[in-house]
Amino acid sequence: MIKKVSQHIVQEEPLVFELSSPGKRGYQLPELDVPAVDANAVLGSENVRGEISDFPEISEFEVVRHFTRLSTWNYAIDLGLYPLGSCTMKYNPRVNELVARTEGLAWAHPYQPDSLSQGCMEIVAALERALAEITGMDAVTLQPAAGAHGEFTGILMMRALLEKRGRARKKVLVPDSAHGTNPATASMVGYAVENIKSNERGMVDVEVLNRVMTEDVAGLMITNPNTVGVFEENIRKICGIIHDKGGLVYMDGANMNALVGIARPGEFGVDVMHLNLHKTFSTPHGGGGPGSGAVAVAKVLTPFLPSPRLKRDGEAWRWNYDLPDSIGRVRAYYGNFGVLVRALAYIMAHGGNGLRQATLDALLNANYLRVLLEPYYEIAYKAPSMHEAVFSDDRQAKKGVRTGDIAKRLIDYGFHPYTVSFPLIVRGALMIEPTETESKRELDLFIDAMISIAKEIEQNPELVLTAPHSTRTKRVDEVTAARKPVVRWTPKSNASQAAD
Ligand SMILES: *Cc1c(COP(=O)(O)O)cnc(C)c1O
């Protein structure tokens, strides 16, 4: 089998400034055949830009080649498997891009009057209905811009409901396996965070939960399946414990790729949850946005949904702002509309059976990968995987090789690394999510690479400790890169100034 080891087309590329040579131009205009205008007189000299020092002078063709060569240094889902656990980096069908770019949708303006936006409003309404059906909840808001923003919206609504009942309460419970955004959200809404320890199977410990759940606790933020890729089998009991003391259950639905079409959180007792439309429902998100953190709520929370809400007025839709209990707007306009269009196109094209099949394929791929890698890597919790598998570097650590080193070596095999060192409850975690869109051939190449690395560690750990070997940049100082990034090029003429 061909191993996927790859190298970049070019290993070095100067900055565009360094390619510059005086007098070169990327355009050629015919001679002026009308009287020249004095720009300073027309626009005012304060609005007219003078010469920019050290501005690159380069031909059109050189610009095109320069940026095309740079683009070959990127890794993308269009090149191969992107196994980042928790992120659901799946391939998103191109047809949904086509739908989102339909002229009437792409050019719609949020300030168009309702009478000219009925089609867009129907799309919003249809997506809200579809997501309510998928989650088993009563209503959905599409305003939040991403998952963390959805969490914020959800906990604000929880707080509003509890305040209405008389007391906002003080604390929110968060399992120690949670994504970092969960405690951050609770804290931003003004709650103290109480961590609850997972049991030896990576699940919420019901005994512990029983002890810490009091009438000072507003609720629980739980991820299901949780971040070790395991389904919380006591979820009904957990929700019962919270509800018995008057609290509410928030579910982080970032892992819905494991549940869509199979289980509905509304039926196991969840009161409010978010979905990452950019993870589960077909918006590419490698570049960091835009996304959508749709929030679904049970009936008790519907009066608190962000304003405005869609309302049917005879034959037409209109935006209703008359919502006395609403937490108000959480975002300008009505959400990231292009993302909503993609999600609805994806859901409608698949239908219920198609969505369910996608989930089953995601589970199959994760379990296939887990079973074949288990002889080589320590599985964190011995339970069937949902949509992702979490290993630890325990065996490799004995040779001095850690999860980050294995991830670097994976780059030499032509793959994007998996999620490194998360969740924090697994020492030296390797978190791998293949998603449903990978073929058996691609999975086998990945598994082959992982096994090959495990063998290298046995025979020659140095090879892995010094990886990557095929990239233009080898190991970087990640702490300095994160804390003191140099993101601005300094022209030579200013270099001495910058050094001061
Ligand atoms: C991705 C993710 C989030 C945050 O979502 P964003 O859209 O990145 O804000 C929260 N929780 C979990 C478990 C996630 O995987």
Side-chain angles (χ1 to χ4, degrees):
M1 196 188 297
I2 306 160
K3 291 221 164 67
K4 279 191 62 171
V5 181
S6 67
Q7 286 223 331
H8 306 303
I9 294 165
V10 282
Q11 293 294 92
E12 269 317 326
E13 179 69 18
L15 294 174
V16 72
F17 300 96
E18 294 162 351
L19 290 172
S20 173
S21 53
K24 269 200 186 177
R25 287 285 177 274
Y27 61 87
Q28 201 170 16
L29 296 176
E31 239 172 89
L32 200 60
D33 60 358
V34 292
V37 173
D38 177 3
N40 288 325
V42 177
L43 298 170
S45 58
E46 71 280 11
N47 297 319
V48 178
R49 194 165 63 184
E51 278 298 308
I52 307 170
S53 68
D54 296 300
F55 196 72
E57 297 178 86
I58 184 169
S59 73
E60 176 184 337
F61 197 27
E62 286 170 315
V63 172
V64 169
R65 283 193 175 161
H66 170 70
F67 285 105
T68 305
R69 285 194 298 258
L70 282 182
S71 74
T72 66
W73 293 354
N74 284 340
Y75 190 84
I77 193 72
D78 292 349
L79 286 172
L81 173 69
Y82 213 128
L84 274 185
S86 206
C87 296
T88 310
M89 304 297 287
K90 60 196 197 183
Y91 176 81
N92 299 296
R94 285 293 192 279
V95 65
N96 301 325
E97 298 301 310
L98 194 75
V99 177
R101 282 170 205 168
T102 306
E103 202 178 350
L105 302 178
W107 287 92
H109 193 283
Y111 278 158
Q112 266 170 220
D114 290 359
S115 63
L116 296 178
S117 307
Q118 289 297 307
C120 295
M121 291 159 97
E122 176 58 33
I123 286 173
V124 171
L127 182 60
E128 286 185 0
R129 282 196 301 270
L131 296 177
E133 175 67 26
I134 287 169
T135 54
M137 308 291 279
D138 286 286
V140 172
T141 173
L142 301 173
Q143 260 187 44
H149 194 201
E151 292 174 30
F152 180 70
T153 305
I155 302 295
L156 272 182
M157 284 191 266
M158 258 171 67
R159 188 179 177 107
L161 170 64
L162 292 171
E163 269 169 1
K164 183 113 185 164
R165 285 180 182 168
R167 205 162 60 88
R169 303 190 174 195
K170 294 199 169 68
K171 286 188 285 190
V172 167
L173 305 177
V174 182
D176 57 4
S177 60
H179 195 268
T181 50
N182 291 189
T185 294
S187 167
M188 279 188 72
V189 182
Y191 285 114
V193 174
E194 183 161 342
N195 247 289
I196 42 178
K197 247 179 104 56
S198 303
N199 66 18
E200 68 294 341
R201 295 170 63 210
M203 298 193 207
V204 169
D205 191 320
V206 175
E207 296 300 306
V208 173
L209 185 66
N210 243 323
R211 238 185 357 258
V212 297
M213 184 60 204
T214 65
E215 291 186 354
D216 256 349
V217 173
L220 167 74
M221 291 184 87
I222 189 169
T223 309
N224 194 21
N226 62 25
T227 54
V228 292
V230 176
F231 191 83
E232 293 282 353
E233 58 187 25
N234 292 317
I235 187 70
R236 273 180 205 279
K237 204 182 278 174
I238 291 168
C239 293
I241 293 169
I242 303 297
H243 291 152
D244 283 351
K245 293 267 165 61
L248 294 149
V249 178
Y250 184 95
M251 188 178 116
D252 180 329
N255 293 341
M256 273 302 280
N257 217 48
L259 299 188
V260 174
I262 293 182
R264 306 201 309 161
E267 287 172 10
F268 48 67
V270 167
D271 300 298
V272 47
M273 64 178 290
H274 79 263
L275 297 150
N276 298 59
L277 299 189
H278 47 289
K279 290 179 181 170
T280 316
F281 297 101
S282 194
T283 280
H285 63 118
S292 172
V295 175
V297 295
K299 202 164 222 100
V300 282
L301 284 164
T302 51
F304 305 94
L305 283 164
S307 163
R309 299 284 301 154
L310 277 176
K311 191 169 177 173
R312 200 72 185 164
D313 214 355
E315 288 294 287
W317 290 110
R318 69 175 175 83
W319 289 111
N320 177 24
Y321 292 83
D322 183 19
L323 303 160
D325 286 328
S326 166
I327 58 166
R329 269 187 188 282
V330 293
R331 191 185 180 282
Y333 308 129
Y334 315 103
N336 282 331
F337 185 65
V339 176
L340 310 182
V341 174
R342 288 177 180 86
L344 184 62
Y346 177 82
I347 289 168
M348 290 183 74
H350 277 73
N353 288 336
L355 290 174
R356 181 181 161 82
Q357 189 59 51
T359 303
L360 293 172
D361 290 347
L363 303 188
L364 177 64
N365 279 358
N367 282 285
Y368 176 71
L369 187 143
R370 175 180 59 83
V371 168
L372 289 176
L373 288 183
E374 256 186 289
Y376 301 90
Y377 295 90
E378 197 65 32
I379 189 84
Y381 296 98
K382 290 200 174 27
S385 300
M386 293 295 285
H387 63 310
E388 58 196 358
V390 180
F391 298 90
S392 83
D393 63 10
D394 274 3
R395 292 185 212 173
Q396 290 72 29
K398 293 194 182 87
K399 291 273 184 181
V401 178
R402 306 307 310 263
T403 177
D405 304 314
I406 301 165
K408 297 280 190 214
R409 183 64 180 144
L410 206 44
I411 298 170
D412 285 333
Y413 283 85
F415 289 102
H416 192 283
Y418 47 78
T419 294
V420 172
S421 303
F422 178 79
L424 301 175
I425 56 166
V426 176
R427 206 165 41 122
L430 293 72
M431 187 191 215
I432 305 172
E433 179 181 2
T435 82
E436 73 278 12
T437 55
E438 295 309 323
S439 64
K440 180 170 180 299
R441 180 188 142 79
E442 185 74 12
L443 287 181
D444 284 339
L445 284 168
F446 177 77
I447 291 163
D448 195 47
M450 289 296 291
I451 292 174
S452 169
I453 296 170
K455 289 179 178 161
E456 286 169 358
I457 295 167
E458 288 301 315
Q459 289 149 18
N460 181 10
E462 202 52 31
L463 178 67
V464 179
L465 286 169
T466 51
H469 302 284
S470 60
T471 53
R472 51 178 291 280
T473 305
K474 306 291 180 241
R475 293 255 173 155
V476 295
D477 176 345
E478 287 179 6
V479 176
T480 307
R483 298 265 162 84
K484 295 180 188 160
V486 180
V487 292
R488 191 162 184 274
W489 179 76
T490 314
K492 282 193 199 78
S493 54
N494 293 345
S496 61
Q497 224 174 306
D500 301 338

